[in-house]
């Protein structure tokens, strides 16, 4: 999955894993042929060439008739408070429905017009926006990023000069997995984060895959710069408004101000139920994870995708520019066996083939602080589904989508998707946890030195200054970020302390190790959570 053996902190490392699991479609070895041939009476707009459809209208209707009961049972089992879904087929919205509540403890119910945070389902939307610029000849997928943002740089000058829009949208630039998401957790804004991508060490260019929110964001905002508009305005002007997506925005403020919105929820620490949460403001990485929308609006976008860029007789996006997003550009997961299916990534899409050889486009989204989403398209069938939820990732939206395609193709469930994904997704979210259990200091742990040995300010060109002070209760406190976020330090052993990580990429307790010289004062400190790429050393000022 990544160029190193240890996964980077944060739940979003699950994205490539889920792609490998889901893009192959139903895993049953006992697939059956459709009951009847395709219904040729439906007329759909021109789209990129695809094989003849295998599903009849009757098979799709069968799945629609049964998916609601599945959703209700799955929500009962998981406890996820709210869910909304929509299905499009042959350029029509054939099903759209809300389930559950927008916020626990309140009576307001979810409807197809409820606004949800999309998380990484924002990525294929972003590639659609860029495709409009490509179709207008304002940019090309193979343009160097520096042609649109001359100030952009990565660690290697040659890569800086050659990395393209497509490279960053397909996560093949060599940037590390989730590069600089931790800067967002600390409160830094987009410009600072993008400028500091140049500090990150690079894997081999175009020979490695690592999922990077801020790499994709840089490509998107570079194109917006050429168009002379902020990314959020470009998205609205070229996609949301032409499609009539009146409840969709790339700004967090629009979600916050929506009257009919789904509030995020997380599981309680004792696993006894769910509680209301607050997600981070994703505006800094808006193209990668900051869109909010409804299933009604997203149905319009799915119709546009399946129709090759046209919508209700109007060409909104150039077909060739949009089709490029459907092509595999990166190998995200090599096959586990010679006959296995590889995981591939296009431009903002997971790209693969199902068990019947049909192109399958998919993307999941998730905020550990309270959102989980998925969209899946089968272009050959002119069929798509989007599922949005207001709970942390549990595998529910993916299970609903997989169940739907099972019902349509096979007429029955071939895998207990909820049980399967209910284990896979939470397990993937645990990546990045420290191998050290800081709740259990060694029996012979050396005592800490006097506070004066550690107190002071330490510099770091990437993460900014780190200040250690003595708090009101006498314990040491570490302060970081532009807003001076405070993290109490808890002694572990000798000059090693721990702190409770927080934010979207929280991984429980992480270590803070001071190096103390002969003068009895710490000369530097290494923060474990920040040091996966060797950038976590802070030197006393």
């Amino acid at each position: 999955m990544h160029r190193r053996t240890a996964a980077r902190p944060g739940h979003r490392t699950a994205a490539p894993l889920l792609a490998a699991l889901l893009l192959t479609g139903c895993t049953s070895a006992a697939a059956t042929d459709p009951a009847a041939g395709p219904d040729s009476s439906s007329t759909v707009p021109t789209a990129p060439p695809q094989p003849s459809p295998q599903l009849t209208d009757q098979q799709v209707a069968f799945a629609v008739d049964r998916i609601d009961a599945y959703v209700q049972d799955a929500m009962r089992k998981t406890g996820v408070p709210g869910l909304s879904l929509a299905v499009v087929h042959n350029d029509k919205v054939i099903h759209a429905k809300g389930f559950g509540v927008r916020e626990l403890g309140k009576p307001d119910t979810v409807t197809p017009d409820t606004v949800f945070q999309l998380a990484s389902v924002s990525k294929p939307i972003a590639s659609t926006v860029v495709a409009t610029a490509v179709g207008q000849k304002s940019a090309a997928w193979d343009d160097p990023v520096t042609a649109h943002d001359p100030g952009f740089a990565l660690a290697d000058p040659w890569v800086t000069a050659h990395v393209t829009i497509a490279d960053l949208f397909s996560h093949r630039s060599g940037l590390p997995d989730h590069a600089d998401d931790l800067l967002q957790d600390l409160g830094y804004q987009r410009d600072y984060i993008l400028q500091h991508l140049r500090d990150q060490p690079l894997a081999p260019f175009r020979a490695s895959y690592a999922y990077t929110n801020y790499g994709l964001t840089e490509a998107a905002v570079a194109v917006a710069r050429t168009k002379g508009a902020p990314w959020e305005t470009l998205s609205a002007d070229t996609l949301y408004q032409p499609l009539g997506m009146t409840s969709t925005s790339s700004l967090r403020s629009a979600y916050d101000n929506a009257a009919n919105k789904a509030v995020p929820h997380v599981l309680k620490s004792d696993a006894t139920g769910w509680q209301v949460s607050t997600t981070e403001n994703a505006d800094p990485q808006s193209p990668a994870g900051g869109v909010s929308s409804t299933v009604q609006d997203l149905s319009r976008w799915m119709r546009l995708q399946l129709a090759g860029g046209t919508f209700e007789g109007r060409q909104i996006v150039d077909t060739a520019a949009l089709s490029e997003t459907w092509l595999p550009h990166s190998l995200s997961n090599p096959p586990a066996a010679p006959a296995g299916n590889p995981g591939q990534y296009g431009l903002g899409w997971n790209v693969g083939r199902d068990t019947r050889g049909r192109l399958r486009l998919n993307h999941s989204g998730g905020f550990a602080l309270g959102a989980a989403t998925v969209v899946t398209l089968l272009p050959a069938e002119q069929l798509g589904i989007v599922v949005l939820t207001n709970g942390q990732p549990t595998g529910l939206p993916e299970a609903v989508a997989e169940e739907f395609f099972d019902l349509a193709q096979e007429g029955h469930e071939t895998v207990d998707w909820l049980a399967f994904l209910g284990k896979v997704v939470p397990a993937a979210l645990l990546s990045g946890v420290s191998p050290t259990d800081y709740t259990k200091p060694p029996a012979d742990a050396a005592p800490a030195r006097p506070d004066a040995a550690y107190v002071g300010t330490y510099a770091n060109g990437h993460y900014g200054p780190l200040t250690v002070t003595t708090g009101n209760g006498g314990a040491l406190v570490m302060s970081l970020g532009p807003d001076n976020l405070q993290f109490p330090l808890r002694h572990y052993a000798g000059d090693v302390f721990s702190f409770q990580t927080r934010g979207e990429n929280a991984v429980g307790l992480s270590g803070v190790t001071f190096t103390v010289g002969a003068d009895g004062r710490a000369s530097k400190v290494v923060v474990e959570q920040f040091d996966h790429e060797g950038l976590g050393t802070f030197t006393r000022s």
Side-chain angles (χ1 to χ4, degrees):
M1 184 187 304
H2 314 301
R3 69 179 180 87
R4 56 187 178 280
T5 56
R8 172 72 181 272
H11 75 284
R12 286 165 288 186
T13 55
L17 171 61
L18 289 177
L21 290 170
L22 300 178
L23 280 174
T24 56
C26 303
T27 57
S28 171
T32 57
D33 291 331
D39 182 350
S40 61
S41 63
S42 300
T43 301
V44 298
T46 302
Q50 297 295 328
S52 298
Q54 301 176 27
L55 297 175
T56 66
D57 288 349
Q58 292 75 21
Q59 287 175 288
V60 175
F62 177 87
V64 168
D65 288 345
R66 284 156 180 79
I67 198 64
D68 288 3
Y70 179 85
V71 169
Q72 291 164 349
D73 182 59
M75 290 180 69
R76 178 184 59 79
K77 290 176 179 176
T78 62
V80 172
L83 181 151
S84 190
L85 68 81
V87 178
V88 299
H89 186 223
N90 289 335
D91 201 35
K92 294 183 177 64
V93 182
I94 61 171
H95 190 50
K97 190 169 182 177
F99 303 82
V101 295
R102 287 151 38 187
E103 180 177 354
L104 282 175
K106 296 185 178 180
D108 301 319
T109 57
V110 173
T111 73
D113 295 309
T114 298
V115 177
F116 286 78
Q117 293 175 292
L118 302 189
S120 284
V121 168
S122 303
K123 289 179 173 68
I125 293 175
S127 66
T128 310
V129 173
V130 172
T132 65
V134 171
Q136 294 164 358
K137 310 302 181 184
S138 299
W141 286 114
D142 289 333
D143 281 351
V145 176
T146 53
H148 302 280
D149 182 5
F152 171 70
L154 293 176
D156 184 291
W158 192 92
V159 175
T160 295
H162 291 83
V163 67
T164 66
I165 303 299
D167 290 328
L168 291 177
F169 260 89
S170 59
H171 309 300
R172 65 185 185 194
S173 67
L175 281 168
D177 177 67
H178 286 82
D180 284 338
D181 282 8
L182 292 174
L183 287 177
Q184 178 182 313
D185 285 354
L186 291 175
Y188 287 102
Q189 296 305 305
R190 181 188 296 165
D191 287 349
Y192 181 95
I193 297 172
L194 296 181
Q195 289 167 8
H196 284 77
L197 288 174
R198 66 192 66 188
D199 299 335
Q200 295 282 355
L202 298 177
F205 182 48
R206 294 180 184 159
S208 57
Y209 171 92
Y211 191 79
T212 55
N213 290 310
Y214 279 101
L216 186 148
T217 294
E218 166 59 36
V221 299
V223 172
R225 182 190 296 266
T226 290
K227 295 292 289 184
W231 171 258
E232 296 74 15
T233 302
L234 180 67
S235 301
D237 290 348
T238 61
L239 186 65
Y240 308 155
Q241 291 175 10
L243 286 184
M245 298 172 69
T246 57
S247 296
T248 302
S249 176
S250 294
L251 286 167
R252 172 61 182 252
S253 58
Y255 166 78
D256 288 339
N257 294 329
N260 180 3
K261 67 172 177 286
V263 174
H265 297 79
V266 296
L267 284 163
K268 294 180 179 179
S269 58
D270 60 3
T272 58
W274 292 77
Q275 63 187 18
V276 171
S277 179
T278 302
T279 54
E280 281 185 3
N281 185 338
D283 279 356
Q285 56 162 286
S286 179
V291 179
S292 60
S293 187
T294 69
V295 297
Q296 291 282 35
D297 279 5
L298 293 172
S299 296
R300 292 171 171 262
W301 169 69
M302 289 194 293
R303 289 169 59 197
L304 173 94
Q305 284 279 336
L306 294 169
T310 66
F311 183 75
E312 296 183 348
R314 295 173 291 133
Q315 190 78 40
I316 307 297
V317 187
D318 177 73
T319 300
L322 187 65
S323 297
E324 188 70 22
T325 69
W326 292 10
L327 297 176
H329 287 252
S330 297
L331 179 67
S332 55
N333 282 281
N341 288 306
Q344 298 172 308
Y345 201 89
L347 303 177
W349 283 108
N350 294 307
V351 179
R353 299 281 167 177
D354 69 7
T355 55
R356 294 178 178 240
R358 294 170 297 195
L359 174 66
R360 181 177 167 101
L361 304 171
N362 165 277
H363 216 292
S364 288
F367 288 152
L369 294 175
T373 59
V374 73
V375 60
T376 302
L377 304 179
L378 279 182
E381 304 295 346
Q382 287 291 293
L383 181 63
I385 185 170
V386 60
V387 186
L388 311 178
T389 71
N390 61 349
Q392 71 181 69
T394 62
L396 173 61
E398 292 87 356
V400 171
E402 294 307 307
E403 183 76 11
F404 175 79
F405 287 109
D406 250 6
L407 292 170
Q409 185 67 66
E410 313 298 344
H412 60 86
E413 181 179 76
T414 64
V415 173
D416 186 342
W417 292 109
L418 189 63
F420 173 57
L421 292 166
K423 294 178 181 178
V424 170
V425 172
L429 307 189
L430 294 176
S431 62
V433 174
S434 174
T436 301
D437 184 352
Y438 290 102
T439 66
K440 298 177 180 178
D444 58 350
R449 301 172 193 265
D451 288 353
Y454 311 114
V455 168
T457 299
Y458 302 79
N460 180 296
H462 191 76
Y463 289 104
L466 177 157
T467 302
V468 178
T469 58
T470 302
N472 293 334
L476 293 174
V477 175
M478 176 176 69
S479 299
L480 285 159
D483 299 324
N484 280 319
L485 299 179
Q486 295 192 340
F487 302 87
L489 297 181
R490 176 180 176 181
H491 184 249
Y492 176 68
D495 296 319
V496 180
F497 295 75
S498 69
F499 73 103
Q500 184 67 48
T501 59
R502 61 178 187 259
E504 180 60 27
N505 295 281
V507 289
L509 292 175
S510 187
V512 176
T513 302
F514 294 88
T515 298
V516 180
D519 61 356
R521 298 177 73 236
S523 59
K524 65 181 180 180
V525 58
V526 177
V527 179
E528 180 185 16
Q529 189 191 20
F530 302 162
D531 203 42
H532 291 270
E533 304 303 331
L535 298 175
T537 298
F538 296 72
T539 303
R540 187 183 284 275
S541 301

